[in-house]
Amino acid sequence: MRMAELSRQSGVPRETIHYYLREGLLPEPLRTGRTRATYDERHLERLRLIRRLREERFLPIAVIRSMVQVGLEGGDIDTGALSALARMTPASAGSEPIERDVVELARERGLLGAEFDAAALDGASGRDLLVAVRQAAELDPEARELSLADMAACAPVVARMVREEAAVFFQRALASGRLADTIGALARSRLAVQRYLVSYRSLSMQQVVQQLLDAMQEARQPKVELLPPGGGGTGDACPRAGDAHGWVWRQMMTGREARIRELSPEQCGRLSASTRALVDLIFGGALEVPVLERFALGRLRLAEGELAKALSSSEDGKLERVVNALGAVLSVDPSNDADPARVALASLRRGLLLVRLPESLGLRPRAQADLRNVVAALGAAPGKVEAESALCMEGNARLALAREAAAANQTHAALRILESGVALEDDGPLGAATRALHESLRLTSTQDSWPGG
């Protein structure tokens, strides 16, 4: 028979048959041409045997290969013990065929380990895994993306867990010298371990939600504050006449927003519509929402205000309000502005806000990306941002990034972040905080380098 007929009668996909041929599990076919071969009953019976060994006894390909090499009766191979070890959970998919696009989706999303070849996926456990992927793919769009993302998060963690489990098992087996007894103990423990894993996951998620609620209770006012640089810069002098537009923006970029109150009503009246709307929002004046929504920083400040209200609320539905407000914060694109100073300021404000929120929200990478974007935006426009403003925004961004690195025990990375900036030389609050962190990290780095440290 030709390959197509062999695949049809055995129920084994062509790709899997080719894999078995390469692995030496099947006899060589009769070659009738460079790309033509024929198969007979020997191949069909061998394929049926391999399927039984995989589906009924859960034997891995390596064991089946050894059985083929020493004789199908198994020789000295303890196939019963190996079957018990391989079969961690009962399979339920049976011989149900799995579509190729499901396999491609699983590989594309990182749901399959590199060791899961076509033959592994053709086994009962492999089909069970792919059935789960297919069930996720058939859900409504929102549930589909959530479940596939959840699976992608689980895959590498489960792979590490299995390696640890294997080490625990073999250490016990080596210590006792009785493999069969250890496998029996493993079999008796499966149900308890499975129940523990499911319960641990559920309990941990409950704890995450509770920690998030507790953290929200504490962070009632996530006010973003920039540490100002030293005095004597252009940001100090309040304009006595004329257009105060540039001065107002310098105060916002150098951590001196409170000084904007020094402007007279006449000077405020000369501000541009967007700047005046921003000043009114900061100090509780008439809210010009349509004007603020025209630029990224305006939308961000509106979302910050909604988040502050949601966090300080004691009404039912607080979590939903917080999530909606955070969604508005995250929807802002700081780079959608032609002015590099405003790009840097919007990125900085959001980065400083996100690093203060509970880690369980998973927003640390977004925060760090925003903070790095501050440095990138200023570096891409040298000389286009007033020096003191650039110093303050970059210095605050680097300080926050260094604190994040230090919290992750990346001392040397934190030192590099601080030393590549200019805030160490500043004589104001920003410089003082930067130098204090730098000195603390330097001492830690020195202690870590001591012999035995």
Side-chain angles (χ1 to χ4, degrees), residues 312-329:
S312 61
S313 171
S314 57
E315 302 173 0
D316 290 341
K318 174 178 178 175
L319 182 58
E320 183 174 2
R321 291 185 62 190
V322 170
V323 169
N324 290 339
L326 265 178
V329 168

Side-chain angles (χ1 to χ4, degrees), residues 15 19 32 35 66 94 133 200 223 251 307 327 334 344 353 368 380 390 431:
E15 295 86 350
Y19 173 79
T32 58
T35 59
S66 298
V133 175
Y200 192 100
K223 188 175 181 181
Q251 306 317 302
L307 180 60
L353 173 64
Q368 293 165 12

Side-chain angles (χ1 to χ4, degrees), residues 22-287:
R22 290 195 303 271
E23 294 296 310
L25 274 71
L26 296 175
E28 278 296 312
L30 176 63
R31 303 290 177 181
T32 58
R34 209 170 76 180
T35 59
R36 296 170 63 87
T38 58
Y39 305 85
D40 55 30
E41 287 298 320
R42 294 176 304 150
H43 299 91
L44 186 58
E45 288 303 316
R46 180 66 61 82
L47 286 172
R48 288 170 175 166
L49 173 63
I50 293 171
R51 293 207 71 161
R52 286 199 303 273
L53 291 172
R54 289 185 61 71
E55 293 173 11
E56 297 174 11
R57 307 196 68 175
F58 289 78
L59 291 177
I61 288 296
V63 174
I64 298 174
R65 184 191 301 112
S66 298
M67 292 175 64
V68 169
Q69 291 171 352
V70 302
L72 291 180
E73 69 280 358
D76 295 330
I77 298 174
D78 188 352
T79 56
L82 289 169
S83 174
L85 179 58
R87 183 173 178 173
M88 294 299 293
T89 56
S92 58
S95 58
E96 182 179 357
I98 304 296
E99 300 81 358
R100 183 189 297 271
D101 59 345
V102 174
V103 180
E104 293 174 353
L105 173 65
R107 291 203 184 281
E108 175 189 325
R109 292 300 188 99
L111 308 183
L112 302 177
E115 68 276 15
F116 295 161
D117 51 39
L121 295 174
D122 187 50
S125 294
R127 285 197 301 277
D128 258 8
L129 186 151
L130 292 173
V131 165
V133 175
R134 184 173 64 190
Q135 289 173 343
E138 292 172 348
L139 296 171
D140 62 89
E142 185 174 0
R144 177 184 190 272
E145 290 307 309
L146 179 60
S147 58
L148 290 175
D150 197 353
M151 289 176 178
C154 290
V157 179
V158 172
R160 289 196 300 273
M161 181 186 74
V162 171
R163 288 194 293 271
E164 292 290 335
E165 285 184 315
V168 169
F169 169 80
F170 284 110
Q171 286 169 12
R172 299 283 297 180
L174 290 169
S176 68
R178 297 187 301 275
L179 178 62
D181 289 350
T182 308
I183 292 175
L186 178 66
R188 295 191 298 276
S189 72
R190 282 182 196 143
L191 181 60
V193 172
Q194 290 167 21
R195 181 171 294 165
Y196 171 81
L197 289 175
V198 172
S199 302
Y200 192 100
R201 187 183 185 196
S202 177
L203 183 60
S204 294
M205 186 58 75
Q206 293 174 25
Q207 290 295 104
V208 166
V209 173
Q210 186 59 52
Q211 290 165 8
L212 177 59
L213 292 171
D214 292 343
M216 288 194 304
Q217 191 68 22
E218 296 173 5
R220 289 181 177 274
Q221 295 293 333
K223 188 175 181 181
V224 177
E225 293 183 341
L226 278 64
L227 289 173
T234 56
D236 284 344
C238 178
R240 300 189 179 206
D243 184 9
H245 174 85
W247 183 84
V248 168
W249 279 96
R250 282 196 297 275
Q251 306 317 302
M252 289 191 287
M253 293 177 186
T254 58
R256 303 183 180 107
E257 278 190 357
R259 293 207 60 204
I260 299 176
R261 292 183 182 274
E262 298 174 16
L263 290 177
S264 67
E266 179 185 359
Q267 288 171 317
C268 287
R270 294 178 183 176
L271 297 173
S272 67
S274 59
T275 304
R276 187 171 62 251
L278 201 55
V279 170
D280 286 341
L281 172 64
I282 294 170
F283 296 114
L287 197 58

